[in-house]
Amino acid sequence: MAFDLSSVLPKLQMLSASDHSSVVSMNLFVALLCACIVIGHLLEENRWMNESITALLIGLCTGVVILLISGGKSSRLLVFSEDIFFIYLLPPIIFNAGFQVKKKQFFKNFITITLFGAVGTLVSCTIITLGATKAFKWTNIGSMDLGVYLAIGAIFAATDSVCTLQVLNQDETPLLYSLVFGEGVVNDATSIVLFNAIHSFDLNHIDLSTALHFLGNFLYLFATSTLLGVLAGLLSAYIIKKLYIGRHSTDREVALMILMAYLSYMLAELCYLSGILTVFFCGIVMSHYTWHNVTESSRVTTKHAFATLSFVAETFLFLYVGMDALDIEKWRFVSDSPGTSVAVSAILLGLVLVGRAAFVFPLSFLSNLAKKSPNEKISFRQQVIIWWAGLMRGAVSMALAYNQFTMSGHTQQRSNAIMITSTITVVLVSTGVFGLMTKPLIRILLPPPKLTVNMTRADSSTPKSVTVPLLGAAQDSEADLDGHIHRPSSIRALLTTPTHTVHRYWRKFDDAFMRPVFGGRGFVPVDPGSPIESKGPYHWHGEDNQRNI
């Protein structure tokens, strides 16, 4: 049987050309990433700019240059893919956030965070859906069914926790950072669950049973996703504690932590759970147990490795969105009626403003009713900042919009193209305007005191810095707590007692049951041949030091 080379050579040449273009695209992206890092460093002290906005602007400028070079034919280098976003870019960002978060502050405000992230997202989604249903009738966008309007509500209810991480500082504004960032994590998970539920439920027959089914499904996803992340973190801690991998290779310790974290995310996605919640709580558990079981060199390595992966993913993400925003294919469909796209974008931006205000201020009021200490209550100025900082829309909204309105990054329908371009416009405007104004707004509403005293020491249970003593100061020691907080006599008294009491009971349980099995604070691995090796492969500090969290 004869083999016709003439039919094969053109295909090989096409593959070669495709591979070459991919190499060129990746080279350009890497070069732009380097430029973002350098320019971001130079603008680090700027009161307006941050690295997310810098990467977004560089991406936009690069898209303009490519568009001009191609003669207006194309600005596309890589197609924005929700698979790339959810599988490769989002996991390291969310995991590092959980790994670095101040756990005491986070769990202290956990109820408020859950209210904002879950209930607030439902309220925002409802308002955006109802508003779009009424307002879009006055635009020339075409007919849409109920499922599309509900999807629009879920898409634009998703806040941008990535940009929030770079705008707020958990050392300068710990309460705001904890609330806005924690809400962002729960909000992203809720938005994705909502979006997937819209496609799985029969929207033509919505009744009370359907609503209850959805609520039960959400609670199930929240609980199982969290449990999976906790179990993955505990498993990594147990394996490293038992095998003491650092005695042989620090690389194995670091690799196991990274792979176990990523495995937890992929398992959650495989089981149709929330990978965001899973990898976030996996990061929290790893920072509390696993990180303290590894050697000192592994602690330094993991701290910087996770932060670097997260930083590169964040920068790549905003650069990606900025370059894809000028894709001429999408804008060509709306070129005949630019007013429609502008009107849709303005409507969506207004609904985002109203939808967020509709839950931030009422839920803050409810949260303040349950707090007796004035220092724990959310002031009106803080509520304004929480409302403002959560107005930014980013990659999650983009990914969900591409999933709903395009096929592999392409669209051939005018209404879908209008929604994509409107989403891009909302993301750019919200990130540019609200992101630029957040830092100045914080300085205006919450000016720093003239004499700043560091009243709260760094949470030593968080691997934020390896230069501080790993066991920290005894500011919340057992003696202090016993001297100021009395044992509650009932569950009601426990719930209304300051959170230090809950923390006290958790610490007793942690010391008695969890740390002996999974290691953690107080567990100090020793090197072979060291003077304390005779005490066993693991050495524990005394009772007083163990209790300092």
Side-chain angles (χ1 to χ4, degrees):
M1 182 174 177
F3 185 73
D4 189 6
L5 286 176
S6 61
S7 63
V8 176
L9 287 176
K11 296 180 180 179
L12 292 176
Q13 291 174 352
M14 290 177 60
L15 288 174
S16 178
S18 176
D19 292 340
H20 179 72
S21 62
S22 298
V23 172
V24 171
S25 300
M26 291 308 300
N27 272 278
L28 180 59
F29 260 95
V30 172
L32 290 173
L33 282 172
C34 295
C36 290
I37 293 173
V38 173
I39 297 175
H41 175 72
L42 296 175
L43 298 176
E44 185 176 8
E45 301 300 327
N46 190 281
R47 62 178 297 183
W48 302 96
M49 298 294 291
N50 60 67
E51 287 163 341
S52 299
I53 299 174
T54 302
L56 198 63
L57 292 177
I58 291 176
L60 280 171
C61 294
T62 306
V64 171
V65 172
I66 296 174
L67 197 62
L68 293 175
I69 293 175
S70 65
K73 295 181 179 180
S74 176
S75 65
R76 181 188 296 268
L77 282 179
L78 293 175
V79 179
F80 186 92
S81 169
E82 62 271 15
D83 292 334
I84 293 177
F85 170 69
F86 283 112
I87 295 176
Y88 301 109
L89 298 179
L90 191 59
I93 296 172
I94 301 300
F95 173 79
N96 183 66
F99 195 72
Q100 304 281 8
V101 73
K102 293 181 181 294
K103 294 185 287 295
K104 190 184 297 184
Q105 187 73 23
F106 177 81
F107 286 107
K108 181 179 179 181
N109 301 292
F110 186 73
I111 295 178
T112 306
I113 288 170
T114 305
L115 276 175
F116 284 172
V119 179
T121 303
L122 292 173
V123 172
S124 180
C125 178
T126 302
I127 290 178
I128 293 173
T129 299
L130 294 176
T133 303
K134 299 296 183 182
F136 282 6
K137 293 180 179 179
W138 302 98
T139 62
N140 187 24
I141 192 175
S143 61
M144 294 182 179
D145 57 22
L146 178 61
V148 176
Y149 284 115
L150 288 171
I152 291 173
I155 289 168
F156 290 96
T159 61
D160 185 10
S161 57
V162 175
C163 194
T164 302
L165 291 175
Q166 298 188 358
V167 173
L168 297 177
N169 187 298
Q170 70 172 333
D171 294 319
E172 296 176 359
T173 54
L175 176 62
L176 288 177
Y177 183 93
S178 176
L179 291 177
V180 176
F181 163 68
E183 176 218 339
V185 174
V186 180
N187 167 277
D188 288 345
T190 306
S191 300
I192 295 170
V193 170
L194 273 173
F195 185 82
N196 293 330
I198 290 167
H199 292 277
S200 60
F201 283 94
D202 183 9
L203 300 176
N204 295 322
H205 302 86
I206 299 179
D207 51 17
L208 181 60
S209 62
T210 304
L212 292 176
H213 184 207
F214 170 77
L215 179 61
N217 187 39
F218 172 75
L219 294 176
Y220 166 78
L221 285 176
F222 190 95
T224 51
S225 301
T226 302
L227 181 61
L228 179 59
V230 171
L231 291 177
L234 292 176
L235 180 61
S236 68
Y238 184 80
I239 291 174
I240 290 180
K241 177 177 178 291
K242 285 297 181 183
L243 300 181
Y244 189 33
I245 299 175
R247 181 187 294 270
H248 306 290
S249 173
T250 298
D251 297 339
R252 293 193 183 101
E253 279 185 329
V254 177
L256 184 63
M257 290 182 68
I258 294 175
L259 293 176
M260 286 290 290
Y262 191 70
L263 179 62
S264 70
Y265 181 87
M266 297 308 297
L267 279 176
E269 294 297 319
L270 182 64
C271 299
Y272 301 100
L273 302 176
S274 172
I276 292 177
L277 285 174
T278 297
V279 78
F280 177 73
F281 281 97
C282 180
I284 291 179
V285 173
M286 278 192 176
S287 70
H288 188 67
Y289 295 108
T290 313
W291 191 73
H292 295 282
N293 292 349
V294 300
T295 57
E296 187 70 22
S297 59
S298 294
R299 294 177 192 176
V300 176
T301 303
T302 52
K303 171 184 175 290
H304 292 291
F306 295 148
T308 301
L309 289 174
S310 175
F311 172 74
V312 172
E314 290 173 10
T315 307
F316 185 89
L317 191 56
F318 282 96
L319 187 64
Y320 202 10
V321 172
M323 293 183 68
D324 194 71
L326 293 177
D327 180 20
I328 199 66
E329 176 191 284
K330 304 177 186 67
W331 294 99
R332 187 179 292 117
F333 284 96
V334 299
S335 59
D336 57 337
S337 55
T340 301
S341 181
V342 173
V344 170
S345 301
I347 291 171
L348 291 172
L349 201 57
L351 291 174
V352 167
L353 290 166
V354 175
R356 183 157 183 83
F359 76 83
V360 168
F361 298 104
L363 293 182
S364 297
F365 175 76
L366 293 177
S367 176
N368 288 339
L369 291 178
K371 297 178 179 179
K372 294 184 178 180
S373 174
N375 295 329
E376 295 180 352
K377 293 185 177 182
I378 309 172
S379 67
F380 180 75
R381 291 188 175 188
Q382 291 175 326
Q383 293 176 32
V384 172
I385 295 175
I386 293 172
W387 167 71
W388 184 271
L391 291 173
M392 289 175 281
R393 296 298 180 265
V396 175
S397 296
M398 289 282 292
L400 295 180
Y402 273 71
N403 184 286
Q404 175 70 29
F405 298 110
T406 71
M407 182 66 68
S408 299
H410 299 272
T411 179
Q412 298 295 330
Q413 296 184 14
R414 179 177 174 274
S415 60
N416 289 349
I418 290 176
M419 288 309 306
I420 290 294
T421 55
S422 299
T423 304
I424 293 172
T425 304
V426 170
V427 169
L428 294 179
V429 172
S430 63
T431 303
V433 176
F434 303 135
L436 284 173
M437 294 297 297
T438 300
K439 284 184 178 180
L441 185 66
I442 293 175
R443 290 189 177 94
I444 294 172
L445 296 180
L446 300 175
K450 294 181 180 179
L451 296 176
T452 58
V453 180
N454 188 14
M455 300 299 294
T456 58
R457 302 192 183 189
D459 184 2
S460 60
S461 64
T462 298
K464 190 69 179 176
S465 174
V466 295
T467 59
V468 298
L470 293 176
L471 296 176
Q475 61 179 18
D476 288 325
S477 65
E478 190 77 18
D480 293 337
L481 290 170
D482 286 340
H484 296 286
I485 297 179
H486 300 285
R487 184 184 300 271
S489 58
S490 63
I491 296 179
R492 180 179 180 86
L494 176 64
L495 294 177
T496 57
T497 306
T499 53
H500 292 290
T501 304
V502 179
H503 183 235
R504 177 172 175 263
Y505 282 109
W506 158 249
R507 188 173 57 241
K508 282 181 173 293
F509 173 78
D510 197 24
D511 289 343
F513 299 101
M514 299 298 289
R515 288 178 183 164
V517 177
F518 300 104
R521 183 178 317 284
F523 168 77
V524 180
V526 300
D527 296 323
S530 65
I532 60 176
E533 186 182 12
S534 59
K535 297 181 180 180
Y538 314 115
H539 175 68
W540 290 80
H541 283 276
E543 282 289 322
D544 295 334
N545 286 338
Q546 284 186 53
R547 297 182 180 276
N548 299 330
I549 296 181

